[in-house]
Amino acid sequence: CLLPISSKKLIELQAKLAVGKEPKIVTLPNDFKVSEALERFINRLGYSIIFVDPEKSLNSALLEVLDFCKKEDKIKIIFGDTLVELPKISKQQSDFLLFKENFQPYDWCFVTDTKNGLHFSGDKDVSETNRVVCGYFEFSNLNLLKKAFSRKQFSDALNFYSSQQKLSLIKAKNWMDFGHLSFLFKSKK
């Protein structure tokens, strides 16, 4: 989230996506040294910092953050290496995730829309789709989300949540995953 993108840091661009009354939280590894200037910068954007063990899985880190949310909060999750452009979405809409078609052979979470609902897989070889989960999610049920993220794999957590609460797929207008070097270089053009 601290990557430089053009003349800004990625977190500045992401802050535009994290609007609402809910708390804005950024997670950083607990072995990362945050200068006073960086902490002020992050706080000025409206974020609180939570330090998590870098050895924790994504699901375990998310569970830790969810303890800071209230039951009535709409929970938005934006991965720290992700920048998306949202399509028009109703403010009342909840329980959705963004996807984009992609044909690059990376370790992403893929989503298939089946007659029984959505199916998520982290394995491209078994996925029947090129729809990639883009790292932007909105959820309405905190307790269910906590149960979901108690699963080992991120795709299993999404499968559990969507089996209990309908999740909608919304196509992102644009998506950049800066967790892959080729996309980071592409953004510099």
Side-chain angles (χ1 to χ4, degrees), residues 27-31 50-56 61 64-65:
T27 60
L28 295 172
N30 61 11
D31 57 357
I50 295 178
F51 293 96
V52 295
D53 182 345
E55 300 298 316
K56 281 191 170 187
E64 201 170 314
V65 172

Side-chain angles (χ1 to χ4, degrees), residues 97 110-121 128-129 131 158-169:
L97 57 94
F110 296 90
V111 59
T112 306
D113 199 355
T114 71
K115 65 180 179 184
N116 297 325
L118 299 179
H119 178 73
F120 299 89
S121 172
E128 300 172 7
T129 183
R131 288 180 172 176
L158 292 176
N159 281 323
F160 178 81
Y161 190 93
S162 69
S163 73
Q164 307 292 312
Q165 176 80 37
K166 182 175 176 12
L167 273 175
S168 299
L169 288 175

Side-chain angles (χ1 to χ4, degrees), residues 25-27 50-52 59-69 75-77 142 146:
I25 299 168
V26 63
T27 60
I50 295 178
F51 293 96
V52 295
N59 287 7
S60 294
L62 286 168
L63 268 176
E64 201 170 314
V65 172
L66 290 175
D67 284 338
F68 291 88
C69 299
I75 295 110
K76 295 179 188 178
I77 298 173
L142 178 62
K146 286 180 176 181

Side-chain angles (χ1 to χ4, degrees), residues 1 10-18 47 78-82:
C1 68
L10 179 55
I11 193 170
E12 290 176 86
L13 302 170
Q14 291 175 323
K16 296 174 184 172
L17 301 172
Y47 288 95
I78 307 167
F79 288 173
D81 61 359
T82 298

